[in-house]
Amino acid sequence: MSKRYLWFLSLAALILSSLCLTSCRHNKKYRIAVSQCSDDDWRKKMNNEINREILFHEDAEVEIRSADDSNSKQIEDIEYFINNKFDAIIVAPNEAEALTPVISKAYENGIPVIIFDRNINGESYTARIGADDVALGMQAAKYALNTLPNAPKALEICGLPGSTPALGRHNGFTDEFIRNGGQIRASVPANWNQDMAEKVTDSLLNIYKDIDVIFAHNDRMAIGAYEMAGKHNLHNVKIIGIDAAPEIGIQAVADGKIDATFLYPTEGHRVIQTALDILKGKPYQRVSILPASSPVDKSNADILLLQNESLIEETNHMVELKNSIDQYWAQHSSQTLLFYAAVVIIVLLGGVFFLLLRAFWQHRRYQVELMEQNRLLQEQRDKQKELNEKLQEATQSKIAFFTNVSHDLRTPLTLISGPVEQLVTATNLSPMQSTLMRIADKNVKILKRLINQILDFRKYENGQLKMHLEEADFGMLIKEWMEAFHSLARKRNLKFRLIAPQHPAVSLAFDVEKIERVVFNLLSNAFKYTPDNGEVTVAYNYDDKDLTLTVTDTGEGISERDLGSIFDRFYQVDRVHPNGSGIGLSLAKAFVELHEGTISVESALGKGSVFTVTIPIQHVESTAATHVSPLIDSREVESELGDVTDDTQFEKDLPVVLIVDDNPDIQILVGNLLEKKYNIITAANGKEGVKMATKYVPDLVICDVMMPVMDGLECCRRIKDEVTTSHIPVLMLTACSMDEQRVQGYDSGADGYLSKPFSSEVLLARCNSLLENRKRISRLYDSTAIKSAPDADRQEKSRALPKGDIDNDFYRRFLEIFEKEMGNPEMNVDAISSRMGLERSQFYRKIKALTNYSPVELMRNIRLRRGHELLLKTDKSISEIAYETGFSTPAYFTKCYRDAYGETPSEVRAKNGR
Ligand code: ADP
């Protein structure tokens, strides 16, 4: 998946998760537990208040449990709250004694504990909210005392003994009542319970008939007391209760059942508020005791009931409001979620749309580009097709032209070849005539073969090439065909062998002449492209279906680039130095394909080649195997592929000409033209040419420009750069007559340029003039010639030869060395040539070419000239002068001096008066 899509997915995930966070924002946080000890009206009222209060706190929820006046049930409830890890516990303990341990446990577990209504033993709570029960008891006593005559008598129906409100109310009431002259006939517990209160009151009223007032610790017990007072016809007994719960206590006052009740504050909202303050770490009051209120009696009971009703109504209204708010909130949340989801979807859709759009445009662009490329390709194809057609046409017309010309050429050629063949075998020819005839014969044969090949090829293309199938033994024929190449193989030291199968005879029907030409072409190519000392191997094998022939050579091989094309007509690997016509292999392929066979090649540059021919074995039933005599003649092979040059010996007095040309025929032709006047040596390429020039130091080099290994320009440059050969004039021969080539030729130091074809006269004239030129130059160095240069001016002149020229520098160096050591009789030609870094023969030819003197003559002349000067300018004795100038004896000096100057040294001295 691409990075772009990943980016989109992660964006969507991010948006969705933030949406989740937003929608989960209103999760409840605080869980508050409420444990009520019983389930009476007062507690119901309180629970309503708690539930109402919690409506205002989004971050809190409450669970209320009632113990139905049972200690064990309440302990169980509180354990449940502890185990379920409630955040705060609000408890109204049933009995202090029983519940203190479990409440302490919750407190010690770190759960904030708020005690309300009743108390526990000790201080194991976080906060406590309670009413002032003593004050409540006192208020009740005061009310009774105010509404009754002096010294009233009272019964007290108490709450659960051990519960703190019962205790407080009892104390407050009895203290106040007795202190103000009242009498308490009895205080009996009825455990907050109406039935029990009825029973207790009933039995008490049986005993005490003079009772003025009954004080019950709560309204239910008060109602029970009222019932019993009625039963005992004590209608004037005042009944006082506590709690003032609307449906029970206040209603009983309004109904006239009890005379007064005192509000015992429920304060449900306060306990919740305190719990949340504790949980949120806000300040709170640890112990809050609510003050006692004024009595509810006949005068205000109805109003209070009405208020209560409207409160209930308000509460219901609030609950409804709250529900609808919750509903709206839920709606809001889901709508927000929907909104964000819609935003995400729109963003994603936008992204997808953008990507689609981009992909669409890219696709469009690619399509346009592709169409453009297609158009260009189509154009190229059309052009190519047109070119191909033109090429085809050109090839066809070329072939047609060749065919026509070939037809025209064949007759005169046949007329030439006959006489030439006869002349070749003639015995009365001079060696040179016979060589020339062999060249003519060879080239006539090549031309004839070429013309036949072109005509055959044309016939093949026109489907006119006829097959002359005959049954023949291939094994025998191949041996005979190979025979023709053996002598050439020997001459060139090529290992040439046949690998035949175990049963060499294999008879099959084939066009013997055509297959012979295939074999001839493969073998002559193998010989042509394999250097001396290489290997050419012919192998054949056969099975039921095919005959396979391979011709393997260790020659130069064919590059991969050319491999695919060598069977194409007129294809030649080396177009610069063509060594054939490029038609042989394509015709071989045509012949093989006429036999429904195949021809293929495997080769690599420098690794030789393997040509494989496969011909299906078929038989001509009627014809018996015939022996067909081979057409290939070994003389033909040798004359076509062999080397007809002989090593030439120098004839002493003639100048030496080095002919550098890769074409042996040209070497022979030029050699024959020049051989009367020159000694001829030859080289087949530039590299060999440089070698020969250095070895023999010829007087003239005639050099072809286009040659393998090293071309003529490079060869000329090297000759001119080498001290040994720098003086040799070079005449370039080339088929090109372009000025640019001439410039290149002259740049490389060539002294002359001759375009092919050239006439023998022109060649001779050019050679002559170059050699004459050379002689003229040599006169410049001729400062030592005794007769022509008797004075020191000529010597100075030679010293003043321009520097930087290799020959001048060479000659100057020679003079320096020799003149310095002239007196040394050891200073002979050997010594000075090795000082000059040349071999004796090279030094000889160099000095001779430069000065026209041999080194011995030159050195003697220099000695004599110095001697001459010394005779004229000094008083040194003749023998002193003779030794100083390097003559072995004064007598020899005298002889040489007389030979050179026509007088003896003593005569010169006498003449000059010395
Ligand atoms: P050609 O008459 O020029 O030899 P062919 O059609 O016989 O023409 O051969 C085509 C080309 O294939 C040649 O120019 C030559 O470069 C290459 N070739 C043929 N045989 C061999 C071989 N045995 N080794 C190397 N190159 C070869």
Side-chain angles (χ1 to χ4, degrees):
M1 202 187 284
S2 79
K3 274 189 183 163
R4 218 173 23 234
Y5 296 111
L6 275 176
W7 184 82
F8 259 109
L9 282 181
S10 37
L11 176 75
L14 196 77
I15 297 174
L16 277 174
S17 52
S18 58
L19 274 180
C20 266
L21 280 178
T22 329
S23 58
C24 300
R25 201 174 47 194
H26 304 297
N27 271 357
K28 296 275 185 284
K29 209 169 161 191
Y30 300 117
R31 291 162 69 223
I32 300 170
V34 177
S35 170
Q36 293 282 19
C37 53
S38 62
D39 194 20
D40 56 29
D41 307 316
W42 184 84
R43 290 189 196 281
K44 272 190 187 134
K45 183 179 168 228
M46 185 182 181
N47 290 347
N48 284 341
E49 283 170 3
I50 287 173
N51 284 328
R52 192 162 52 230
E53 181 61 24
I54 213 78
L55 293 178
F56 299 100
H57 300 281
E58 282 288 307
D59 54 352
E61 63 180 12
V62 71
E63 184 174 337
I64 304 172
R65 289 195 163 204
S66 172
D68 299 330
D69 301 315
S70 155
N71 286 335
S72 59
K73 168 87 173 38
Q74 193 165 28
I75 291 168
E76 214 175 89
D77 287 344
I78 292 170
E79 290 280 7
Y80 162 82
F81 291 137
I82 296 170
N83 294 337
N84 285 283
K85 302 204 167 22
F86 274 71
D87 297 299
I89 302 174
I90 299 167
V91 200
N94 192 36
E95 277 180 85
E97 190 71 27
L99 283 156
T100 298
V102 72
I103 289 169
S104 301
K105 178 183 168 188
Y107 180 70
E108 275 151 25
N109 273 0
I111 304 171
V113 177
I114 297 111
I115 305 289
F116 75 96
D117 175 19
R118 303 179 187 178
N119 205 348
I120 55 164
N121 299 333
E123 297 275 312
S124 301
Y125 52 77
T126 317
R128 184 166 74 83
I129 299 167
D132 189 347
D133 287 297
V134 177
L136 273 174
M138 283 171 77
Q139 286 281 19
K142 277 180 186 155
Y143 178 84
L145 289 167
N146 287 342
T147 50
L148 289 169
N150 279 344
K153 292 162 219 57
L155 276 183
E156 188 185 12
I157 311 295
C158 296
L160 187 71
S163 73
T164 48
L167 201 64
R169 286 170 197 185
H170 169 74
N171 289 343
F173 182 77
T174 49
D175 282 1
E176 184 67 22
F177 201 71
I178 292 167
R179 197 157 39 88
N180 289 299
Q183 291 175 29
I184 294 173
R185 294 285 192 215
S187 291
V188 186
N191 294 1
W192 309 112
N193 189 298
Q194 185 173 346
D195 290 347
M196 200 169 163
E198 278 179 16
K199 282 178 196 149
V200 166
T201 311
D202 191 22
S203 54
L204 283 175
L205 287 180
N206 283 331
I207 305 164
Y208 306 108
K209 301 277 185 199
D210 56 343
I211 293 304
D212 299 307
V213 61
I214 301 174
F215 170 53
H217 282 188
N218 71 4
D219 288 338
R220 279 184 188 283
M221 293 192 295
I223 291 166
Y226 158 76
E227 297 295 342
M228 287 305 112
K231 185 182 158 196
H232 288 272
N233 284 323
L234 295 171
H235 298 294
N236 291 327
V237 173
K238 288 220 179 282
I239 311 244
I240 302 168
I242 288 182
D243 278 352
E247 285 88 358
I248 307 292
I250 299 177
Q251 190 61 53
V253 172
D255 294 347
K257 292 181 179 171
I258 58 177
D259 296 280
T261 177
F262 291 86
L263 188 73
Y264 183 56
T266 41
E267 300 288 332
H269 67 279
R270 188 187 284 255
V271 286
I272 290 296
Q273 193 58 57
T274 306
L276 285 171
D277 283 347
I278 294 167
L279 288 173
K280 291 177 184 174
K282 290 184 184 170
Y284 63 95
Q285 201 172 344
R286 187 162 185 268
V287 179
S288 330
I289 303 297
L290 305 170
S293 61
S294 32
V296 177
D297 56 14
K298 203 73 179 146
S299 63
N300 57 12
D302 289 333
I303 294 170
L304 285 174
L305 277 177
L306 275 174
Q307 273 180 352
N308 184 56
E309 263 170 36
S310 66
L311 190 67
I312 289 170
E313 241 171 64
E314 283 303 315
T315 306
N316 289 341
H317 191 55
M318 269 174 64
V319 170
E320 271 170 28
L321 266 176
K322 164 78 174 147
N323 286 343
S324 42
I325 285 171
D326 280 352
Q327 220 174 327
Y328 287 138
W329 185 247
Q331 265 179 15
H332 168 79
S333 299
S334 55
Q335 276 169 2
T336 312
L337 190 71
L338 256 170
F339 170 74
Y340 285 124
V343 168
V344 170
I345 288 167
I346 287 169
V347 168
L348 286 176
L349 278 177
V352 169
F353 181 70
F354 170 75
L355 289 178
L356 280 175
L357 210 67
R358 241 176 64 144
F360 173 73
W361 282 117
Q362 267 178 356
H363 183 69
R364 276 280 295 266
R365 218 177 49 226
Y366 289 146
Q367 237 176 3
V368 170
E369 275 172 20
L370 216 66
M371 269 161 65
E372 181 58 20
Q373 277 177 1
N374 270 349
R375 198 183 58 75
L376 286 175
L377 269 175
Q378 191 65 37
E379 252 175 37
Q380 277 176 359
R381 246 202 308 265
D382 290 349
K383 271 189 198 155
Q384 191 98 31
K385 212 169 131 194
E386 211 174 296
L387 271 176
N388 270 346
E389 276 164 11
K390 278 190 185 153
L391 201 73
Q392 201 67 29
E393 258 172 46
T395 314
Q396 283 307 326
S397 41
K398 189 170 152 189
I399 292 177
F401 170 76
F402 280 146
T403 317
N404 295 341
V405 171
S406 303
H407 272 299
D408 293 344
L409 285 179
R410 203 147 64 156
T411 320
L413 203 61
T414 318
L415 291 176
I416 297 170
S417 83
V420 167
E421 268 173 31
Q422 281 178 28
L423 274 172
V424 165
T425 49
T427 47
N428 54 348
L429 294 181
S430 71
M432 185 188 146
Q433 283 169 334
S434 128
T435 311
L436 287 176
M437 283 321 295
R438 276 163 65 196
I439 292 176
D441 185 42
K442 169 187 156 184
N443 285 289
V444 165
K445 283 198 172 101
I446 292 174
L447 258 181
K448 258 169 77 183
R449 182 176 298 282
L450 190 58
I451 283 168
N452 285 337
Q453 278 181 341
I454 290 173
L455 291 175
D456 281 350
F457 199 76
R458 189 68 179 157
K459 274 189 204 160
Y460 171 73
E461 291 225 314
N462 294 340
Q464 290 168 355
L465 203 60
K466 297 271 173 317
M467 286 275 277
H468 301 289
L469 286 184
E470 50 194 312
E471 193 82 12
D473 178 4
F474 182 82
M476 198 165 69
L477 283 175
I478 188 80
K479 262 165 94 188
E480 284 174 10
W481 293 333
M482 284 174 68
E483 263 317 303
F485 287 81
H486 275 305
S487 120
L488 179 63
R490 264 193 304 279
K491 220 170 162 184
R492 291 186 45 205
N493 198 24
L494 283 168
K495 194 170 168 194
F496 181 47
R497 60 198 172 112
L498 171 70
I499 301 176
Q502 222 178 6
H503 302 290
V506 46
S507 175
L508 68 151
F510 60 103
D511 188 325
V512 175
E513 195 198 321
K514 291 192 176 61
I515 294 301
E516 179 180 18
R517 283 170 61 181
V518 171
V519 172
F520 179 81
N521 181 263
L522 294 181
L523 284 179
S524 54
N525 277 347
F527 274 73
K528 233 193 274 181
Y529 300 108
T530 304
D532 293 359
N533 309 318
E535 259 181 58
V536 175
T537 310
V538 178
Y540 73 96
N541 211 333
Y542 58 90
D543 55 20
D544 292 346
K545 282 196 328 209
D546 297 308
L547 170 85
T548 308
L549 167 79
T550 57
V551 176
T552 309
D553 65 63
T554 57
E556 61 193 46
I558 304 160
S559 72
E560 218 180 300
R561 191 170 58 96
D562 294 314
L563 265 185
S565 314
I566 56 164
F567 292 107
D568 296 347
R569 61 192 166 200
F570 303 121
Y571 188 85
Q572 286 182 315
V573 172
D574 187 350
R575 287 181 177 277
V576 184
H577 309 102
N579 200 0
S581 59
I583 204 170
L585 280 179
S586 60
L587 198 61
K589 185 168 183 246
F591 286 164
V592 171
E593 281 172 358
L594 273 178
H595 286 81
E596 290 168 1
T598 55
I599 180 165
S600 60
V601 61
E602 275 173 46
S603 184
L605 268 188
K607 296 211 170 127
S609 316
V610 183
F611 283 85
T612 307
V613 175
T614 308
I615 305 171
I617 294 184
Q618 43 187 330
H619 299 281
V620 179
E621 300 297 338
S622 52
T623 329
T626 49
H627 170 72
V628 187
S629 52
L631 300 170
I632 305 174
D633 178 359
S634 68
R635 280 175 309 146
E636 192 181 324
V637 170
E638 268 186 60
S639 73
E640 268 197 36
L641 301 171
D643 186 357
V644 289
T645 326
D646 289 331
D647 272 356
T648 321
Q649 292 296 315
F650 283 175
E651 286 178 28
K652 265 187 188 154
D653 292 338
L654 298 178
V656 179
V657 174
L658 168 63
I659 301 166
V660 189
D661 201 311
D662 59 328
N663 186 331
D665 293 345
I666 297 277
Q667 287 178 7
I668 293 169
L669 257 179
V670 176
N672 282 344
L673 282 176
L674 299 179
E675 79 182 353
K676 280 202 188 100
K677 289 191 166 182
Y678 303 94
N679 286 315
I680 307 293
I681 50 174
T682 55
N685 57 52
K687 200 171 167 195
E688 234 176 74
V690 174
K691 231 191 214 164
M692 296 285 278
T694 318
K695 186 173 172 193
Y696 293 107
V697 196
D699 297 282
L700 175 68
V701 175
I702 298 175
C703 182
D704 191 14
V705 174
M706 309 275 266
M707 279 182 299
V709 187
M710 183 193 288
D711 66 22
L713 299 175
E714 180 61 19
C715 169
C716 177
R717 203 170 290 120
R718 298 230 182 154
I719 287 176
K720 292 292 178 183
D721 281 350
E722 186 57 49
V723 174
T724 329
T725 54
S726 54
H727 64 278
I728 305 171
V730 178
L731 176 65
M732 303 293 279
L733 283 186
T734 181
C736 307
S737 57
M738 284 160 63
D739 286 346
E740 195 188 322
Q741 297 252 330
R742 281 172 190 266
V743 171
Q744 278 183 348
Y746 286 122
D747 276 354
S748 65
D751 298 81
Y753 209 95
L754 199 59
S755 308
K756 287 191 225 171
F758 46 81
S759 73
S760 50
E761 285 93 51
V762 173
L763 177 70
L764 275 169
R766 293 303 300 273
C767 292
N768 259 342
S769 81
L770 282 174
L771 286 173
E772 278 307 314
N773 239 353
R774 183 67 247 165
K775 271 185 194 154
R776 264 200 303 282
I777 294 169
S778 70
R779 273 180 218 126
L780 268 181
Y781 296 91
D782 196 10
S783 56
T784 53
I786 303 296
K787 285 166 200 147
S788 57
D791 51 41
D793 281 359
R794 293 294 296 267
Q795 188 187 358
E796 278 312 306
K797 208 169 162 191
S798 82
R799 284 184 200 285
L801 284 170
K803 286 190 180 174
D805 177 281
I806 296 180
D807 294 341
N808 293 348
D809 293 347
F810 172 82
Y811 189 63
R812 195 175 294 111
R813 208 154 63 88
F814 161 75
L815 281 183
E816 268 169 26
I817 295 172
F818 184 68
E819 284 178 356
K820 212 187 271 170
E821 301 202 30
M822 191 189 294
N824 180 358
E826 305 284 296
M827 190 40 100
N828 57 17
V829 178
D830 282 339
I832 194 149
S833 59
S834 76
R835 287 283 291 275
M836 295 294 289
L838 296 185
E839 279 174 23
R840 185 193 158 90
S841 62
Q842 288 174 328
F843 179 69
Y844 174 89
R845 293 191 62 76
K846 177 90 194 175
I847 288 293
K848 176 90 181 163
L850 281 182
T851 64
N852 243 348
Y853 291 107
S854 71
V856 173
E857 285 170 335
L858 181 67
M859 283 153 74
R860 194 171 56 220
N861 287 350
I862 296 171
R863 282 188 167 115
L864 284 173
R865 206 186 54 221
R866 169 71 66 83
H868 181 67
E869 274 174 23
L870 291 174
L871 276 177
L872 295 180
K873 293 182 183 164
T874 66
D875 292 331
K876 288 181 178 169
S877 72
I878 290 172
S879 44
E880 258 178 321
I881 292 173
Y883 290 122
E884 194 180 315
T885 52
F887 285 93
S888 50
T889 60
Y892 184 55
F893 171 60
T894 304
K895 180 192 175 292
C896 293
Y897 191 88
R898 198 184 45 225
D899 288 350
Y901 292 93
E903 46 190 355
T904 61
S906 357
E907 282 166 352
V908 173
R909 270 274 159 94
K911 218 161 78 186
N912 284 284
R914 290 195 185 234

